[in-house]
Amino acid sequence: MAGYIDVAQARTPSGLRLVLSLGVPGPWSEAAKGILHVKGISYVRVRQEIGEENRELTEWTAQATAPVAIWNDEPPRSTWIEQLFLAERLQPTPALVPENIEERMLMFGYCNELCGQHGFGWSKRLMLLHPVLTDADAKESARAFASHMGKKYGYNREEVVAAPARVANILKTLSTRLEQQREKGSKFFIGSQLSALDIYWATFAALIQPLPHDLCPMPDAFRTMYTNTDPVVQAAVNPILLEHRDMVYHEYLELPIDL
């Protein structure tokens, strides 16, 4: 397992520090790690305790979530798009943001549907919390954790009801894009080379079907929670999506995943 330092230790060194949730393959965190791996950028891992108050982290970064990227004495970057642009600046090659403006606009549109507010990850996260929050027989510890996360990420029943259809629509759109690209002879979402979108989908696909234990060891409770059981979402899982996930991991990302 990779070494972590705590927040107090991380506030003094220079260089790149990446705040991550210890032991959990959060999609946003794994995407940030994947981008840095592809670019060969070294960093120090900083421990965030999932479901905890993380008071020191809040004092440092004005929020308590992971991932957060901190470069030298620059302001902390806690959003996926800030982290991507930081990585592009620190190591321009290989570029993960297309130079062509139309391809760039297209990529960021798809990325936002995966990573942004009300997108795939956001909606799936609310779906993960819903069964516990609506189960009168749920263990108190599980309910407390789900309540904490629900408050943190804006859980409400209206969004949960709409989430499966929203997620399914995103999956169908991604499948169509990959099929169109395959017809053109490309195995990537955008153009003919790896982009950030390929990495984001590979890591966010864990919310449908996590990689097997030998490639991604994770707590059984999280594996069960991550594995999709919603029929509306499952009907939209075209095999090409998981084939693409596997290709990106085996050809470009680090395996087994080190949490």
Side-chain angles (χ1 to χ4, degrees):
M1 178 180 286
Y4 282 78
I5 64 173
D6 60 31
V7 171
Q9 294 172 299
R11 296 188 70 165
T12 52
S14 58
L16 183 62
R17 288 139 290 163
L18 190 65
V19 180
L20 301 166
S21 300
L22 179 66
V24 180
W28 286 269
S29 292
E30 292 306 307
K33 288 165 56 182
I35 288 166
L36 297 177
H37 175 76
V38 167
K39 288 181 168 289
I41 300 172
S42 61
Y43 61 94
V44 175
R45 299 185 183 209
V46 182
R47 181 170 53 251
Q48 183 254 15
E49 301 293 347
I50 190 167
E52 302 296 330
E53 187 177 6
N54 292 285
R55 182 177 299 176
E56 288 186 321
L57 180 60
T58 301
E59 292 173 355
W60 187 26
T61 68
Q63 55 85 65
T65 61
V68 186
I70 305 97
W71 171 247
N72 291 338
D73 59 353
E74 295 181 6
R77 291 168 169 85
S78 57
T79 65
W80 64 271
I81 195 167
E82 291 177 309
Q83 293 159 10
L84 174 57
F85 276 122
L86 174 63
E88 288 286 283
R89 172 163 66 89
L90 296 182
Q91 178 53 265
T93 56
L96 295 175
V97 175
E99 184 176 355
N100 177 277
I101 187 169
E102 291 185 355
E103 290 185 345
R104 187 166 66 249
M105 293 171 67
L106 189 63
M107 189 203 78
F108 276 113
Y110 279 110
C111 286
N112 190 61
E113 290 299 312
L114 280 175
C115 312
Q117 191 167 347
H118 307 297
F120 172 84
W122 179 283
S123 300
K124 202 68 172 66
R125 183 168 53 195
L126 297 181
M127 292 173 65
L128 301 183
L129 299 174
H130 186 64
V132 178
L133 293 174
T134 54
D135 182 2
D137 298 323
K139 292 181 179 180
E140 187 57 36
S141 58
R143 181 179 294 279
F145 175 79
S147 297
H148 172 83
M149 300 299 284
K151 183 178 180 181
K152 189 175 183 179
Y153 295 115
Y155 170 86
N156 69 73
R157 288 177 177 268
E158 278 189 11
E159 285 214 39
V160 171
V161 170
R166 182 186 294 273
V167 168
N169 190 30
I170 293 169
L171 293 177
K172 290 174 183 176
T173 303
L174 291 171
S175 298
T176 299
R177 177 67 186 178
L178 284 176
E179 288 169 345
Q180 292 170 342
Q181 285 290 95
R182 185 171 288 186
E183 290 175 1
K184 296 177 181 178
S186 174
K187 61 183 180 180
F188 305 107
F189 275 110
I190 305 294
S192 58
Q193 65 185 53
L194 187 78
S195 76
L197 177 57
D198 297 296
I199 297 173
Y200 285 120
W201 166 247
T203 59
F204 276 69
L207 297 176
I208 297 296
Q209 179 182 305
L211 289 166
H213 182 78
D214 62 322
L215 298 181
C216 183
M218 59 193 291
D220 290 342
F222 274 92
R223 181 171 294 278
T224 299
M225 185 168 60
Y226 274 27
T227 302
N228 179 70
T229 58
D230 183 90
V232 173
V233 172
Q234 198 61 36
V237 182
N238 187 321
I240 197 172
L241 292 170
L242 297 180
E243 290 170 8
H244 182 272
R245 183 271 311 268
D246 292 343
M247 179 276 292
V248 172
Y249 263 107
H250 284 281
E251 295 188 20
Y252 296 97
L253 302 183
E254 191 173 13
L255 288 174
I257 295 174
D258 190 352
L259 302 176

